[in-house]
């Protein structure tokens, strides 16, 4: 399920440099360009997504994230953004380090595996969850790491990453009403603003 | 894509149809990088599509080493279209329904523009080997004079592959206000030692032909066919990939067989193919032009006068860039295109980079490829949309 993350615009300085790692169809970068006048580049490998970026006039660089981001120098961007990609990478913790090496700040979103739907699916059905958020079967999913936002925060602490802001998102009922009461149980997508 | 704006039924096949080359004598003196001034020069060129009322939809196509101004469409009685017909035409990635497309034969070449086969006004003889050495920037300056002749104030895009991409990049630094987009395909900011080595072998092959006569073969009514053919054979190998040659020719034989006890000579298909390509080339290309333009490639170094810092160089550009590479291109490898892209990103310029999977080697930039066509088409169609909205 797609969540509106327009609110991240307020975390991004107008006119700043943004790298969107795994930029998909370029809609986030396109709106940041239009709303915040950022100079943005997206990294992507899917040909259809790349086409969508070109059609929007969004800068897109064909680059496989699993082969590293060595070509980008330290602190060459104000913000490095990664939406719904962390869970699909071989070494998420190393990529997080890279994000904060290249960018002054990082913005990361991921599906919260602690959501009650996934918990219930696994515990009651005894099968790996297939939900609106996580639509794949266990054998064909690109999402090779499952973690909750609590896991993510523990990792940040371990690696001395500062959490500047966080937002918990949910569209479903009763999730959107209850996510402030019991965030790990009702958050579908977690959004973090990070620095080091 | 819509063909409604086209009134030519030939256009339905996606071709610009019958075309005629044009010629213009540029009377303005052209001071070359080497210090020599050409008091006037002739340019052969072709155009496809029509200029819009604000003259804002012009695209310049820059040809490479052996290219010319005949990029698309057919000449009367010709069966083979121009060299980039796959990419230029109505509904094609460089859409002649939407853009006014200009392709010029550059000076120093041999298809009608001033070059080594032209008469040297000082001697009344062909320039031959005395034609002044050229740099990519000389081509850019000459193209700019044609641009003024055509009343174009700013190119919507300058597009080129290989040496053509080098011209596009040079345009972006020399005349940043004169182009909105640069499309740099299978190119590099400078040649590698290996590239230069291949070029020198090619030049040596030409010069070793007894008919070369120190470059003054026309005065002796001779053509160094064998040397030029050999030069082309060497070049041709570097434009293809090992995989492709394997698929296309393998170890297939054209003549003879390899059974023991046979004495007649064996000819592999690849030998026959290369000999044919070399001979064909030596019939239409000029040996001095080949030497001149390969040297121009060798000398090209985008960032030389910017302290060898490509980022500092690209800071001068104001246009947007599209960079495209091909996986099996070992003459201008994807790594070279990545260097261009990374320098542009570091310089804070708008750039997109597409890495196309292809087993066609360097030649891939001339050949049909679905993803390449799609990406170039998407990029230019966004540009066309913007131009049309402003009309």
């Amino acid at each position: 399920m797609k969540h509106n993350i327009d609110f991240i615009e307020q975390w991004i300085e107008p006119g700043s440099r943004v790298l969107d790692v795994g930029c998909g169809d370029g809609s986030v970068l396109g709106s940041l360009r239009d709303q915040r006048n950022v100079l943005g580049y997206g990294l992507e490998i899917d040909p259809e997504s790349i086409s969508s970026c070109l059609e929007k006039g969004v800068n897109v660089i064909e680059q496989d994230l699993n082969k590293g981001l060595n070509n980008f120098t330290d602190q060459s961007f104000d913000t490095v953004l990664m939406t719904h990609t962390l869970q699909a990478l071989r070494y998420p913790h190393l990529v997080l380090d890279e994000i904060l090496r290249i960018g002054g700040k990082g913005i990361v979103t991921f599906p919260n595996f602690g959501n009650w739907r996934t918990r219930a699916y696994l515990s009651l059905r005894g099968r790996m969850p297939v939900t609106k958020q996580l639509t794949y079967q266990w054998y064909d999913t690109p999402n090779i790491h499952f973690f909750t936002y609590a896991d993510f925060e523990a990792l940040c602490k371990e690696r001395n990453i500062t959490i500047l802001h966080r937002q918990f998102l949910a569209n479903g009922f009763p999730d959107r009403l209850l996510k402030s009461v019991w965030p790990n149980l009702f958050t579908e997508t977690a959004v973090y603003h990070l620095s080091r | 894509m819509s063909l409604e704006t086209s009134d030519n039924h030939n256009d339905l096949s996606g071709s610009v149809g019958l075309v005629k080359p044009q010629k213009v004598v540029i009377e303005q003196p052209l001071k070359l990088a080497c210090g020599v001034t050409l008091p006037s020069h002739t340019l052969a060129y072709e155009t496809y599509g029509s200029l819009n009322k604000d003259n804002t939809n012009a695209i310049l196509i820059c040809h490479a080493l052996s290219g010319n101004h005949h990029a698309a469409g057919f000449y009367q009685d010709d069966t083979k279209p121009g060299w980039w017909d796959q990419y230029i035409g109505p509904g094609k990635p460089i859409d002649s329904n939407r853009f006014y497309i200009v392709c010029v034969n550059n000076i120093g070449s041999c298809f009608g523009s001033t070059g080594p086969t032209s008469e040297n006004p000082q001697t009344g003889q062909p320039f031959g080997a005395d034609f002044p050495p050229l740099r990519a920037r000389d081509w850019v300056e000459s193209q700019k004079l044609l641009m003024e002749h055509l009343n174009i104030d700013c190119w919507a895009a300058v597009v080129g592959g290989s040496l053509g991409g080098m011209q596009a990049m040079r345009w972006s630094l020399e005349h940043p206000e004169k182009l909105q987009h640069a499309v740099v395909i299978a190119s590099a900011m400078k040649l590698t030692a290996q590239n230069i080595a291949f070029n020198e072998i090619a030049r040596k092959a030409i010069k070793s032909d007894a008919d070369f006569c120190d470059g003054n073969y026309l005065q002796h009514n001779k053509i160094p066919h064998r040397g030029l053919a050999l030069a082309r054979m060497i070049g041709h190998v570097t434009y293809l990939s090992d995989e492709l040659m394997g698929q296309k020719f393998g170890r297939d034989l054209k003549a003879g067989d390899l059974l023991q006890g046979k004495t007649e000579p064996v000819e592999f298909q690849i030998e026959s193919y290369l000999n044919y390509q070399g001979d064909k080339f030596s019939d239409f290309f000029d040996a001095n032009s080949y030497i001149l333009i390969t040297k121009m490639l060798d000398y090209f170094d985008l960032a030389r006068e910017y302290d060898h810092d490509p980022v500092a160089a690209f800071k001068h550009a104001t246009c947007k860039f599209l960079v495209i590479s091909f996986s099996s291109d070992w003459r201008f490898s994807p790594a070279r295109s990545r260097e261009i892209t990374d320098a542009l990103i570091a310089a804070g310029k708008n750039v997109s980079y597409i890495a196309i999977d292809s087993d066609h080697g360097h030649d891939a930039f001339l050949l049909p490829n679905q993803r390449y066509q799609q990406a170039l088409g998407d990029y230019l169609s966004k540009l066309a949309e913007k131009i049309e909205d402003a009309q």
Side-chain angles (χ1 to χ4, degrees):
Chain A
M1 190 180 293
K2 206 169 149 55
H3 290 98
N4 185 350
I5 56 162
D6 285 353
F7 62 85
I8 65 165
E9 281 171 16
Q10 56 192 342
W11 298 345
I12 291 173
E13 288 294 315
S16 61
R17 286 171 61 93
V18 177
L19 183 67
D20 188 349
V21 179
C23 67
D25 67 1
S27 49
V28 173
L29 272 183
S31 101
L32 286 174
R33 175 194 59 195
D34 299 340
Q35 305 302 323
R36 306 295 272 181
N37 193 29
V38 303
L39 175 61
Y41 304 88
L43 305 185
E44 186 51 67
I45 47 167
D46 173 54
E48 275 180 40
S49 298
I50 289 172
S51 272
S52 301
C53 292
L54 293 175
E55 283 163 13
K56 290 186 181 76
V58 164
N59 296 324
V60 61
I61 309 293
E62 188 161 337
Q63 181 168 347
D64 184 353
L65 308 183
N66 281 319
K67 291 190 182 154
L69 297 167
N70 291 338
N71 52 312
F72 295 102
T73 53
D74 293 359
Q75 299 297 302
S76 49
F77 284 86
D78 298 302
T79 303
V80 177
L81 177 68
M82 191 154 89
T83 55
H84 268 52
T85 303
L86 201 59
Q87 75 283 356
L89 297 174
R90 183 77 186 85
Y91 297 112
H93 59 303
L94 300 182
V95 175
L96 266 185
D97 285 346
E98 277 296 87
I99 286 176
L100 292 170
R101 174 185 69 79
I102 297 164
K105 286 168 184 156
I107 298 175
V108 172
T109 81
F110 53 85
N112 178 39
F113 205 68
N115 184 272
W116 68 275
R117 288 168 211 274
T118 44
R119 294 190 199 205
Y121 202 109
L122 182 59
S123 57
L124 299 178
R125 296 199 200 181
R127 303 274 308 272
M128 282 305 279
V130 179
T131 64
K132 284 181 186 167
Q133 272 266 83
L134 301 161
T135 55
Y136 296 93
Q137 293 291 340
W138 63 274
Y139 48 83
D140 66 0
T141 180
N143 303 318
I144 55 175
H145 301 279
F146 290 115
F147 53 105
T148 72
Y149 86 76
D151 291 323
F152 181 76
E153 293 193 359
L155 176 68
C156 289
K157 195 164 176 211
E158 198 184 299
R159 299 187 88 81
N160 287 322
I161 294 170
T162 310
I163 296 169
L164 301 171
H165 305 93
R166 61 177 196 187
Q167 282 273 356
F168 298 134
L169 309 177
N171 287 339
F173 180 82
D175 308 51
R176 65 176 182 272
L177 303 178
L178 295 173
K179 68 177 162 49
S180 52
V181 182
W182 198 337
N184 207 0
L185 207 48
F186 295 105
T187 292
E188 292 168 353
T189 290
V191 185
Y192 281 85
H193 192 200
L194 309 166
S195 76
R196 187 161 252 159
Chain B
M1 217 163 276
S2 166
L3 295 177
E4 284 163 9
T5 51
S6 162
D7 52 11
N8 182 346
H9 289 295
N10 287 338
D11 286 351
L12 292 174
S13 65
S15 168
V16 295
L18 276 186
V19 296
K20 270 191 188 161
Q22 303 176 65
K23 263 192 189 181
V24 58
V25 180
I26 304 280
E27 298 288 359
Q28 221 168 314
L30 174 63
K31 186 163 187 217
L32 302 171
C34 66
V36 172
T37 297
L38 292 179
S40 73
H41 67 279
T42 302
L43 291 176
Y45 67 99
E46 286 179 16
T47 69
Y48 323 108
S50 39
L51 204 53
N52 65 12
K53 67 176 165 53
D54 296 336
N55 297 7
T56 53
N57 67 333
I59 287 187
L60 175 68
I61 306 292
C62 302
H63 69 67
L65 169 57
S66 59
N68 56 35
H69 51 294
H70 184 36
F74 294 84
Y75 290 155
Q76 191 80 48
D77 302 327
D78 241 2
T79 51
K80 242 185 112 209
W83 57 270
W84 221 17
D85 195 72
Q86 297 286 351
Y87 288 84
I88 301 171
K92 289 183 178 169
I94 306 172
D95 191 343
S96 57
N97 285 335
R98 307 180 85 177
F99 292 107
Y100 177 63
I101 301 151
V102 179
C103 186
V104 57
N105 183 221
N106 292 295
I107 52 171
S109 181
C110 50
F111 295 92
S113 297
T114 299
T117 58
S118 311
E119 186 189 288
N120 181 347
Q122 281 168 7
T123 62
Q125 295 286 316
F127 277 104
D130 294 335
F131 197 84
L134 294 174
R135 299 290 178 98
R137 66 180 67 242
D138 297 323
W139 281 10
V140 168
E141 295 311 316
S142 159
Q143 289 158 356
K144 185 161 172 286
L145 293 173
L146 177 68
M147 178 189 194
E148 287 158 15
H149 169 75
L150 297 171
N151 286 321
I152 295 161
D153 182 53
C154 181
W155 298 110
V158 176
V159 181
S162 193
L163 173 57
M166 293 171 171
Q167 293 159 63
M169 287 187 282
R170 188 56 82 198
W171 262 102
S172 77
L173 303 188
E174 290 301 306
H175 302 289
E177 72 293 351
K178 294 289 178 192
L179 71 163
Q180 291 193 324
H181 293 261
V183 179
V184 180
I185 306 166
S187 194
M189 292 189 284
K190 56 186 171 194
L191 260 55
T192 61
Q194 189 193 46
N195 287 151
I196 297 170
F198 279 117
N199 284 345
E200 177 56 16
I201 296 168
R203 289 188 291 263
K204 189 85 174 185
I206 293 171
K207 291 176 184 172
S208 305
D209 188 325
D211 289 343
F212 183 64
C213 308
D214 291 328
N216 298 317
Y217 43 88
L218 291 179
Q219 286 91 318
H220 294 84
N221 285 318
K222 287 181 176 164
I223 300 280
H225 273 295
R226 282 160 299 159
L228 186 54
L230 182 52
R232 182 58 173 183
M233 287 166 77
I234 294 156
H236 203 90
V237 171
T238 71
Y239 304 145
L240 305 179
S241 69
D242 191 19
E243 299 98 291
L244 184 82
M245 272 202 202
Q247 285 165 27
K248 218 169 157 182
F249 306 103
R251 296 177 50 83
D252 295 352
L253 300 183
K254 169 95 175 172
D257 68 52
L258 290 163
L259 285 176
Q260 293 189 24
K262 302 259 184 181
T263 54
E264 65 263 40
V266 160
E267 189 186 20
F268 285 94
Q269 286 286 0
I270 182 66
E271 296 178 275
S272 158
Y273 170 80
L274 273 183
N275 277 303
Y276 171 77
Q277 291 293 334
D279 290 343
K280 195 175 73 169
F281 186 77
S282 72
D283 284 340
F284 69 80
F285 208 83
D286 177 62
N288 282 317
S289 289
Y290 204 83
I291 292 172
L292 189 70
I293 302 173
T294 52
K295 282 191 174 168
M296 174 182 194
L297 272 158
D298 293 356
Y299 299 161
F300 185 80
D301 184 347
L302 188 82
R304 187 189 288 114
E305 74 231 56
Y306 302 91
D307 261 346
H308 294 277
D309 177 0
V311 179
F314 278 131
K315 286 222 160 98
H316 294 264
T318 55
C319 67
K320 298 182 176 182
F321 290 81
L322 173 64
V323 179
I324 300 177
S325 71
F326 300 93
S327 55
S328 60
D329 183 352
W330 56 281
R331 188 85 196 239
F332 290 84
S333 74
R336 303 285 85 74
S337 288
R338 257 332 286 235
E339 287 163 4
I340 297 170
T341 306
D342 288 336
L344 283 165
I345 293 174
K349 302 301 160 184
N350 285 292
V351 55
S352 285
Y353 168 63
I354 312 296
I356 307 283
D357 251 329
S358 163
D359 53 19
H360 283 91
H362 185 55
D363 264 354
F365 87 88
L366 298 164
L367 300 171
N369 174 305
Q370 201 263 332
R371 253 211 90 204
Y372 172 29
Q373 283 160 310
Q374 175 84 35
L376 187 58
D378 287 336
Y379 187 85
L380 292 178
S381 132
K382 173 75 184 170
L383 168 61
E385 215 174 276
K386 230 174 150 184
I387 293 168
E388 286 153 17
D389 285 350
Q391 282 285 294

